[in-house]
Amino acid sequence: MKLLKFSIIAIMLLSGTMSIAQQLPQFTQYMFNTISINPAYAGSRETLSMVGLHRSQWVGLDGAPTTQTLSVHAPLRNEKVGLGVSFINDELGFQNFQYLYADFSYTINLNEEVMLAFGLKAGFTGFSLDPDFQSAESQDNVIFGFEDRWKPNIGTGLYLHTNKWYLGLSAPRILNTDYTGDEEFEALERISYYATAGYVFDLGPDVKFKPATLLKITDGAPLSWDVTANFLFFEKLWIGPAYRVNEEAGSFGGIVDFQISKQFRVGYAYENPTSDIRPFANGGTHEILLMFELFKSKRIKSPRYF
């Protein structure tokens, strides 16, 4: 177990000081979990929306990332204002990160169809190490005086959209934070910038096509670019391929999403890695999404496709 955990460390370490650049986890079903990266998305679905997601990445590799998220957001009576809250639990090898953040958005109508939302995100990020790692490795002078801790951070975003397309720009964490405060071991939260876009094409009375993309730029990490191309049949079934270009974590897979009822949606995504990690992660990556929405508002003017 100790050797396998160090295989994960070897992937993350830079030369010299032991330094890990922590990034927010990335999801295949990002188009249904936008609140995790862009606070301006809060309230945009015009109703109370709750999303839960579990992601098991690189199954078969000991110490590989696992992530759980839970988010809730809704518009207020003043429908220009949206509020939300989200929690992310992210585990990678011996590292454990928790993100607890609140979201605020304010929307202005540019015309009858186009809306522009401004968003702010604020909260705390927690960092801890597995107890067995601390007790074993501190004897080898890897960890010096480490303590679990929570530190504040803030983020911001823009979300331009109609009922057919959207564009988003965001930086959900804008403070560079070292969560250890130790000269020999650093866990740094780097600034990541996200650009998202999507469009819904009507191919027929019962078929729609929605390509979507996400571009992620992180200081000190390779650029990451996601592309998905989903088809919607009978307003019930989303299905399509997904591709990620990333030097360290590239993948190819697909998404299946089913609208069980007006309130409930369930989604599943699978990824097969295309990077150097592929020989060690023969189980691929699995992601399950559950969405519940409370449709009591008469303000909803059209079906929500993103």
Side-chain angles (χ1 to χ4, degrees), residues 122-274:
F124 295 88
T125 299
F127 177 68
S128 63
L129 299 177
D130 287 346
D132 58 342
F133 181 84
Q134 291 191 59
S135 60
E137 306 313 324
S138 60
Q139 299 175 7
D140 298 327
N141 296 323
V142 176
I143 306 299
F144 295 88
F146 176 82
E147 295 180 359
D148 296 353
R149 64 196 63 201
W150 288 79
K151 289 192 175 182
N153 213 323
I154 57 175
T156 187
L158 296 173
Y159 189 63
L160 181 70
H161 64 104
T162 69
N163 64 343
K164 286 290 187 179
W165 57 264
Y166 68 92
L167 294 170
L169 293 172
S170 62
R173 310 285 184 269
I174 62 177
L175 301 179
N176 280 326
T177 305
D178 177 11
Y179 286 93
T180 66
D182 191 279
E183 295 181 357
E184 301 294 330
F185 179 87
E186 294 178 336
L188 302 175
E189 188 169 34
R190 302 293 193 182
I191 301 176
S192 293
Y193 304 95
Y194 293 83
T196 57
Y199 195 98
V200 178
F201 296 91
D202 290 310
L203 301 184
D206 297 312
V207 182
K208 291 179 172 60
F209 174 58
K210 189 187 75 173
T213 187
L214 180 151
L215 180 67
K216 177 183 178 184
I217 301 173
T218 302
D219 182 24
L223 180 144
S224 182
W225 182 35
D226 284 55
V227 179
T228 58
N230 290 319
F231 292 88
L232 173 62
F233 299 97
F234 303 101
E235 301 287 337
K236 290 288 187 182
L237 177 66
W238 288 103
I239 187 168
Y243 183 64
R244 176 175 299 127
V245 180
N246 185 305
E247 181 182 337
E248 294 179 349
S251 65
F252 179 80
I255 298 172
V256 177
D257 189 282
F258 186 70
Q259 192 77 40
I260 298 174
S261 67
K262 190 176 181 180
Q263 290 78 28
F264 289 98
R265 173 187 293 180
V266 59
Y268 171 76
Y270 173 81
E271 297 177 33
N272 192 31
T274 58

Side-chain angles (χ1 to χ4, degrees), residues 35 42-43 47-52 70-74 83-87 101-103 292:
I35 191 69
T47 189
L48 176 66
S49 181
M50 294 179 281
V51 176
L70 179 64
S71 64
V72 181
H73 66 101
L83 295 179
V85 62
S86 61
F87 176 76
Y101 282 79
D103 302 284
F292 173 78

